[in-house]
Amino acid sequence: MNGHVHLEESDMYESDGKLFLTEAFNVIMEEILHKGTDSEEKVCEWKDPDQLRALLDLDLREHGESHKQLLQRVRDVARYSVKTCHPRFFNQLFAGVDYHALTGRLLTETLNTSQYTYEVAPVFVLMEEEVLCKLRSLVGWSEGDGIFCPGGSMSNMYAMNVARYWAFPQVKTQGLWATPRMAIFTSQQGHYSMKKAAAFLGIGTDNVFIVQVDESGSMRPEDLEAKIVQAKSQDAVPFFVNATAGTTVQGAFDPLNRIADISERNGMWMHVDAAWGGSVLFSKKHKHLVAGIERANSVTWNPHKMLLAGLQCSVVLFRDTTNLLMHCHSAKATYLFQQDKFYDTSLDTGDKSIQCGRKVDCLKLWLMWKAIGTHGLSERVEKAFALARYLVEEMEKRDNFKLVCKVAPVIKERMIKRGTMMVGYQPMDGHVNFFRMVVVSPQLTTKDMDFFLDEIEDLGKDL
Amino acid sequence: MNGHVHLEESDMYESDGKLFLTEAFNVIMEEILHKGTDSEEKVCEWKDPDQLRALLDLDLREHGESHKQLLQRVRDVARYSVKTCHPRFFNQLFAGVDYHALTGRLLTETLNTSQYTYEVAPVFVLMEEEVLCKLRSLVGWSEGDGIFCPGGSMSNMYAMNVARYWAFPQVKTQGLWATPRMAIFTSQQGHYSMKKAAAFLGIGTDNVFIVQVDESGSMRPEDLEAKIVQAKSQDAVPFFVNATAGTTVQGAFDPLNRIADISERNGMWMHVDAAWGGSVLFSKKHKHLVAGIERANSVTWNPHKMLLAGLQCSVVLFRDTTNLLMHCHSAKATYLFQQDKFYDTSLDTGDKSIQCGRKVDCLKLWLMWKAIGTHGLSERVEKAFALARYLVEEMEKRDNFKLVCKVAPVIKERMIKRGTMMVGYQPMDGHVNFFRMVVVSPQLTTKDMDFFLDEIEDLGKDL
Ligand SMILES: Cc1ncc(COP(=O)(O)O)c(C=O)c1O
Ligand SMILES: Cc1ncc(COP(=O)(O)O)c(C=O)c1O
């Protein structure tokens, strides 16, 4: 009956597969980790989309390719991709490479399991518990809950959904038609994921009230109070305030204690989006920036940003000890979460998630932490702050620096085509475009800061 | 001012890091890919949670550990993790290992970028476009849209949210208070992510109407019609029907053409959850199972299941050509999606996502596809079906097989502790527990099927 299907032999030659993987690993080492981290090499080899399409030959065909061709493909993908591990990649809130974290990531990929039950992920269920516990203790909580999510935006959504369930538990079964209109508060400089979350959760972006910020980009608590009054006057129930600890563009910190006071007075859930700034909790010197964070109900924190754990590594932490996260999300699927198992099924934490299969994101952070210790992570954060300070001081010495920003798009284009570095720019209310320089990689030195300043000047010298 | 922070030198010794990574790669090869794929070795080395905690020493401390200790940690993580690449791992809807996909995954991890803009992910933006286009053409669509999501549950949520926006665009800004109550339809055997999605999107699980299935687990279209009538009688607007192509437990296929007729008649969005069964589209022999899929508005498909792309690899595809996905999800963040860029910003597809940073999930599938071609993937699917058929035939020859299922939990415990194989079980309406045997890995042969049957008998022989 099975015609041409060969059931007696396996379709793959294990040894060929392993050989390919080993050779490809060498290409990865050479092309990405040797060349990509060398400041003499380019950060990116810019190609127009049409050129790149032609170079890559992306088409998928009926028949496979040879070992040799495939290795060339690995080389091409590496070659034309941006080297985010390069010392002059300053374009996003992640950069650099941590070899222990990367090891954890390769191990995760090879083990290829899903973080839902103790049965299929015994090591990672326990490890996630440990890492979450440690992160919570840095926040200042000896108890609580939490979960790794696919990115900070999802972590923020989780927080909003759990908060909604806490305020209106009937929402899980009856939906929003059984509740009053709700209001969410976040600042002008809060991350756009708050709006995405409000839309996705069915609350609507109009119900996100935007609170003003001061010059530094930090939320004005008086305006939060005003916006709460405004929401109430529209018969919307204030239930969720998002305070940002480390805004995406300016790196500002909202005044958490003031916001906590207001949240408590109004019976609201307080969330802190510390996706970017949470890592200051590692630093005795800088953690005053998030004073009051322990008063929050939930915290988002992305170790893939300032700590270099690698994409994606994001957690949402809860102060709650009543299993709200599980109650809010559980669906009790019997094929996965059988209750007659022979071990303690409270370890099957998968039902806390809105995902089913869930990637293991804890190992990379755990291994890196084991490798350099809490102390090493704290040094990493302090170095990033010190470099940023150095950069500001040096920039202030250069008169023509403010001017350069008017022509950011042109400079950016030249920069990318030259390939020497990558840094993002953006407009901001009442300002023209400016460059957002992100320094997180511990491989950086003051020389790289000087290079950045010189290069920007050079790129714009004729403008 | 910087005290003890050293700004003149980098905190990491590149060469040490690379050495560690290389040595760890060898451990990974040895412990996971050599031993883990050897059927003489155990699938898992079962430990109770307390034992395992003690063995792993998970605690995170102030100071880091030595190179040697860390390598031992890599070995321990590998050792105590379940080998999902083992030929006798039948426990989930994923299993086995494809070395080309794994290469793509290691490359992805090392490149560490986010799939939101052409600027930081030029290769992957174009590659995602190509892979989605090819998958859509297998569905039968020459145009359309789509996106890779972190798992099938998220893909299903995307579909539900886009459908809701299509039906009631005001929901994005005003929320569900501006719409009538909505009704969703899915079968008794549909995946639980539908309920999770309804809860998360604020629609509520009570508004998920459960349609009956026949004996094989396939949706009864007459009952779908009855449930639509029932919903309407409760003033709920039917807007979304989920048909399952390959149910999670029985692998049943809902009758898509019949469901499409009903959806069209009622002006509903039809989604096909083909997370598991979508891969039959590669097989000329089996694709009749999803006849009518081209009439759907959206399709979820997980190449990480039957095709072995590795976790996570899931897409949601749309027939829509009006940019609904973007309109539904966009937030137009100016720091990321500047409109004055020097290249065609329609390539910055990140705003179609509800995530911000998004992992690259296309490369592993693309590289595997390049390696074995459409033909190789089709053989893979056909082999899985043929092995399943073989298994059923052999099982029918064994009288005592039905009996064994009453004692599934005990057999499962013995199995895990023996470590020879892993297979899941679950209860089903009106039946006792039974084992769900999943055969996807192309490394399998009929011998592995015989082993499964013998082993289950042996584990239960005294019961
Ligand atoms: C403050 C803040 N919150 C949330 C996010 C979203 O994180 P992710 O990209 O992991 O979704 C970002 C990303 O830059 C951010 O800066
Ligand atoms: C039919 C079906 N849909 C959706 C899913 C969810 O997929 P994921 O685990 O990737 O979220 C599954 C998982 O088993 C499934 O079987």
Side-chain angles (χ1 to χ4, degrees):
Chain A
M1 120 211 149
N2 299 312
H4 61 288
V5 184
H6 305 292
L7 296 188
E8 309 313 324
E9 55 185 54
S10 89
D11 85 338
M12 252 199 179
Y13 297 100
E14 285 280 321
S15 55
D16 284 359
K18 288 186 181 111
L19 181 66
F20 183 77
L21 185 65
T22 307
E23 292 186 9
F25 180 75
N26 293 335
V27 172
I28 290 173
M29 283 302 279
E30 189 51 40
E31 295 293 321
I32 309 174
L33 296 171
H34 286 300
K35 286 200 205 153
T37 56
D38 179 352
S39 54
E40 301 297 305
E41 299 276 341
K42 288 184 173 184
V43 180
C44 62
E45 173 132 0
W46 171 262
K47 299 286 169 203
D48 279 325
D50 288 337
Q51 278 181 299
L52 188 55
R53 266 191 207 97
L55 284 167
L56 291 173
D57 173 31
L58 292 166
D59 193 23
L60 298 163
R61 309 202 177 81
E62 187 62 19
H63 292 284
E65 298 187 344
S66 71
H67 184 106
K68 203 174 141 215
Q69 272 175 307
L70 292 165
L71 265 187
Q72 185 56 39
R73 302 225 170 257
V74 171
R75 225 171 266 120
D76 288 346
V77 167
R79 172 153 181 203
Y80 298 112
S81 288
V82 172
K83 306 305 176 302
T84 65
C85 57
H86 192 284
R88 271 93 191 244
F89 178 81
F90 309 116
N91 208 70
Q92 313 297 144
L93 297 181
F94 58 89
V97 54
D98 178 293
Y99 290 94
H100 297 104
L102 184 55
T103 299
R105 297 163 72 193
L106 303 194
L107 189 49
T108 300
E109 293 297 322
T110 314
L111 286 167
N112 194 42
T113 199
S114 166
Q115 177 96 47
Y116 36 41
T117 61
Y118 185 75
E119 186 175 315
V120 293
V123 173
F124 304 125
V125 163
L126 301 183
M127 192 180 277
E128 182 172 54
E129 180 180 272
E130 175 65 25
V131 174
L132 290 172
C133 172
K134 210 75 186 184
L135 292 173
R136 275 195 309 264
S137 80
L138 287 168
V139 169
W141 298 334
S142 59
E143 291 180 294
D145 206 344
I147 191 165
F148 278 80
C149 295
S153 302
M154 294 303 304
S155 291
N156 284 340
M157 277 197 198
Y158 268 66
M160 196 184 285
N161 194 44
V162 171
R164 175 169 74 174
Y165 179 75
W166 162 82
F168 302 99
Q170 71 274 28
V171 76
K172 183 175 178 182
T173 50
Q174 296 170 259
L176 289 169
W177 300 286
T179 72
R181 184 179 154 205
M182 299 175 192
I184 290 157
F185 303 85
T186 189
S187 87
Q188 290 174 298
Q189 292 293 321
H191 191 256
Y192 71 86
S193 50
M194 282 295 142
K195 284 202 168 176
K196 291 214 175 194
F200 201 68
L201 298 184
I203 294 170
T205 52
D206 288 354
N207 294 312
V208 181
F209 290 77
I210 303 297
V211 183
Q212 289 168 10
V213 294
D214 64 20
E215 282 219 324
S216 74
S218 171
M219 186 189 278
R220 289 188 196 274
E222 322 78 65
D223 194 52
L224 172 58
E225 296 197 274
K227 292 288 150 51
I228 292 173
V229 171
Q230 187 190 334
K232 286 182 177 165
S233 76
Q234 297 172 12
D235 288 328
V237 180
F239 84 107
F240 185 85
V241 58
N242 172 58
T244 309
T247 61
T248 314
V249 174
Q250 289 173 286
F253 287 78
D254 289 349
L256 303 185
N257 271 314
R258 300 271 314 266
I259 295 171
D261 291 341
I262 298 170
S263 303
E264 281 165 22
R265 255 200 322 274
N266 288 277
M268 296 169 71
W269 181 285
M270 173 176 166
H271 175 66
V272 178
D273 177 357
W276 170 235
S279 300
V280 303
L281 285 163
F282 276 98
S283 158
K284 288 207 181 62
K285 196 161 163 184
H286 299 293
K287 73 177 180 192
H288 66 89
L289 290 166
V290 291
I293 194 169
E294 71 287 352
R295 295 173 66 190
N297 298 88
S298 53
V299 171
T300 289
W301 182 353
N302 282 11
H304 74 232
K305 300 191 196 281
M306 212 182 288
L307 299 181
L308 275 84
L311 288 162
Q312 290 177 329
C313 191
S314 172
V315 296
V316 57
L317 305 172
F318 295 94
R319 198 178 64 194
D320 166 76
T321 55
T322 67
N323 220 5
L324 209 49
L325 178 61
M326 177 71 98
H327 293 311
C328 176
H329 291 150
S330 68
K332 303 197 172 67
T334 52
Y335 80 93
L336 202 54
F337 305 113
Q338 303 91 329
Q339 293 304 307
D340 53 3
K341 282 182 178 173
F342 65 95
Y343 60 84
D344 171 10
T345 53
S346 76
L347 290 168
D348 290 355
T349 48
D351 218 13
K352 291 184 182 183
S353 172
I354 59 166
Q355 299 183 272
C356 171
R358 182 160 63 93
K359 254 190 89 72
V360 172
D361 286 331
C362 56
L363 172 59
K364 49 198 165 200
L365 176 55
W366 181 83
L367 195 62
M368 176 172 86
W369 201 329
K370 276 286 193 196
I372 65 171
T374 308
H375 183 71
L377 293 173
S378 105
E379 282 193 328
R380 192 166 282 185
V381 172
E382 294 184 0
K383 182 167 179 184
F385 271 81
L387 280 173
R389 163 61 69 93
Y390 174 86
L391 186 66
V392 170
E393 287 169 355
E394 291 302 307
M395 200 157 54
E396 282 168 355
K397 294 183 194 155
R398 304 192 186 206
D399 280 349
N400 55 346
F401 227 79
K402 273 142 236 125
L403 299 171
V404 119
C405 297
K406 296 200 180 132
V407 288
V410 182
I411 292 188
K412 175 82 183 225
E413 175 170 1
R414 292 178 179 184
M415 181 194 308
I416 296 260
K417 290 186 172 164
R418 197 184 273 189
T420 47
M421 64 179 192
M422 269 183 84
V423 55
Y425 71 89
Q426 63 270 308
M428 216 172 56
D429 319 310
H431 299 65
V432 288
N433 279 322
F434 70 97
F435 285 101
R436 178 187 70 162
M437 176 67 179
V438 181
V439 282
V440 291
S441 168
Q443 277 95 335
L444 295 174
T445 70
T446 51
K447 283 198 199 66
D448 298 295
M449 302 301 101
D450 296 337
F451 177 89
F452 164 77
L453 295 169
D454 293 342
E455 187 75 358
I456 289 269
E457 284 187 333
D458 189 56
L459 287 163
K461 66 174 177 287
D462 60 329
L463 295 172
Chain B
M1 121 217 148
N2 299 311
H4 61 291
V5 184
H6 304 294
L7 296 188
E8 308 314 325
E9 55 186 55
S10 89
D11 86 338
M12 255 197 175
Y13 297 100
E14 284 279 322
S15 56
D16 285 358
K18 287 184 181 114
L19 181 66
F20 182 78
L21 184 66
T22 307
E23 292 186 11
F25 180 75
N26 293 334
V27 172
I28 290 173
M29 282 303 278
E30 189 51 40
E31 295 293 322
I32 309 175
L33 296 171
H34 288 298
K35 287 200 203 155
T37 57
D38 179 351
S39 54
E40 301 296 305
E41 299 275 342
K42 290 184 174 185
V43 181
C44 62
E45 173 134 358
W46 172 262
K47 299 286 170 203
D48 281 325
D50 288 338
Q51 276 180 299
L52 188 56
R53 264 191 208 99
L55 283 166
L56 291 173
D57 174 29
L58 292 166
D59 192 24
L60 296 162
R61 306 199 180 83
E62 186 61 20
H63 292 286
E65 297 187 343
S66 71
H67 185 108
K68 204 174 140 216
Q69 272 175 308
L70 292 165
L71 264 188
Q72 185 55 40
R73 302 223 169 257
V74 171
R75 226 172 264 119
D76 288 345
V77 167
R79 174 158 180 199
Y80 298 111
S81 288
V82 172
K83 306 304 177 301
T84 65
C85 56
H86 192 283
R88 272 90 191 248
F89 178 80
F90 309 115
N91 208 72
Q92 314 295 145
L93 297 182
F94 58 88
V97 56
D98 178 292
Y99 289 95
H100 297 104
L102 183 54
T103 299
R105 297 162 73 193
L106 304 195
L107 189 48
T108 302
E109 293 297 323
T110 313
L111 285 169
N112 194 42
T113 197
S114 166
Q115 178 95 49
Y116 36 42
T117 60
Y118 184 76
E119 184 176 318
V120 293
V123 173
F124 304 125
V125 163
L126 301 182
M127 192 179 278
E128 181 172 55
E129 180 180 272
E130 174 65 26
V131 175
L132 290 171
C133 172
K134 210 76 186 182
L135 292 173
R136 275 195 309 265
S137 79
L138 287 167
V139 168
W141 297 334
S142 59
E143 292 179 292
D145 207 345
I147 191 165
F148 279 79
C149 296
S153 301
M154 293 304 305
S155 291
N156 285 340
M157 276 196 200
Y158 267 66
M160 195 182 285
N161 193 45
V162 171
R164 174 169 75 174
Y165 179 75
W166 162 82
F168 302 99
Q170 71 273 29
V171 76
K172 183 175 177 182
T173 48
Q174 295 170 261
L176 289 169
W177 300 287
T179 73
R181 188 182 151 200
M182 298 175 192
I184 290 157
F185 303 84
T186 189
S187 87
Q188 287 173 298
Q189 291 293 320
H191 191 257
Y192 71 86
S193 49
M194 283 295 143
K195 284 202 170 175
K196 290 213 176 195
F200 201 68
L201 297 185
I203 295 171
T205 52
D206 288 353
N207 294 312
V208 181
F209 289 76
I210 303 297
V211 183
Q212 288 168 11
V213 293
D214 64 19
E215 280 218 324
S216 74
S218 171
M219 185 189 277
R220 290 188 196 276
E222 322 78 65
D223 195 52
L224 173 59
E225 296 197 275
K227 292 286 151 58
I228 290 173
V229 172
Q230 187 190 332
K232 285 180 177 166
S233 76
Q234 296 174 15
D235 289 328
V237 179
F239 83 108
F240 185 84
V241 57
N242 173 56
T244 309
T247 60
T248 314
V249 174
Q250 289 172 285
F253 286 80
D254 289 350
L256 303 185
N257 271 315
R258 301 271 314 266
I259 295 170
D261 292 340
I262 298 170
S263 303
E264 282 166 20
R265 257 202 319 277
N266 288 276
M268 294 168 72
W269 181 285
M270 174 175 166
H271 175 65
V272 178
D273 177 358
W276 170 234
S279 300
V280 303
L281 284 163
F282 277 98
S283 159
K284 289 208 179 60
K285 197 162 165 182
H286 299 294
K287 72 177 179 192
H288 66 90
L289 290 167
V290 292
I293 194 169
E294 71 287 353
R295 297 174 64 190
N297 298 88
S298 54
V299 171
T300 288
W301 183 351
N302 282 12
H304 75 234
K305 299 192 196 280
M306 214 181 286
L307 300 182
L308 275 86
L311 289 162
Q312 285 173 337
C313 190
S314 173
V315 297
V316 58
L317 305 172
F318 295 93
R319 197 178 62 194
D320 167 77
T321 55
T322 67
N323 220 5
L324 210 48
L325 178 61
M326 178 69 100
H327 294 311
C328 176
H329 291 151
S330 68
K332 304 198 170 68
T334 50
Y335 80 93
L336 202 53
F337 305 114
Q338 303 91 328
Q339 292 305 309
D340 53 3
K341 282 182 179 174
F342 66 94
Y343 60 84
D344 171 10
T345 53
S346 75
L347 289 167
D348 290 355
T349 48
D351 217 13
K352 292 185 180 184
S353 172
I354 59 167
Q355 299 183 273
C356 171
R358 183 161 61 93
K359 254 190 90 72
V360 171
D361 286 332
C362 56
L363 172 59
K364 49 199 165 199
L365 176 55
W366 181 84
L367 195 62
M368 177 172 85
W369 201 329
K370 276 285 189 194
I372 64 171
T374 307
H375 183 71
L377 293 173
S378 107
E379 282 193 326
R380 192 165 281 185
V381 172
E382 294 185 0
K383 182 167 181 185
F385 271 80
L387 280 174
R389 164 62 67 92
Y390 173 86
L391 186 67
V392 170
E393 288 169 356
E394 290 302 306
M395 199 157 55
E396 281 167 356
K397 295 181 192 156
R398 306 193 186 203
D399 279 350
N400 55 348
F401 227 80
K402 273 142 234 125
L403 299 171
V404 117
C405 297
K406 298 203 180 130
V407 288
V410 182
I411 293 189
K412 175 83 184 223
E413 176 171 1
R414 290 178 179 182
M415 181 196 304
I416 297 260
K417 289 184 174 165
R418 198 184 273 190
T420 48
M421 64 179 192
M422 269 183 84
V423 55
Y425 71 90
Q426 62 270 309
M428 216 172 55
D429 317 311
H431 300 63
V432 288
N433 279 322
F434 70 98
F435 285 101
R436 178 187 71 162
M437 176 66 180
V438 181
V439 282
V440 290
S441 169
Q443 278 97 335
L444 295 175
T445 70
T446 52
K447 284 199 200 66
D448 298 295
M449 302 300 101
D450 297 338
F451 177 88
F452 165 76
L453 295 168
D454 294 343
E455 186 75 358
I456 290 269
E457 285 188 331
D458 189 57
L459 288 163
K461 65 174 179 285
D462 60 329
L463 294 172

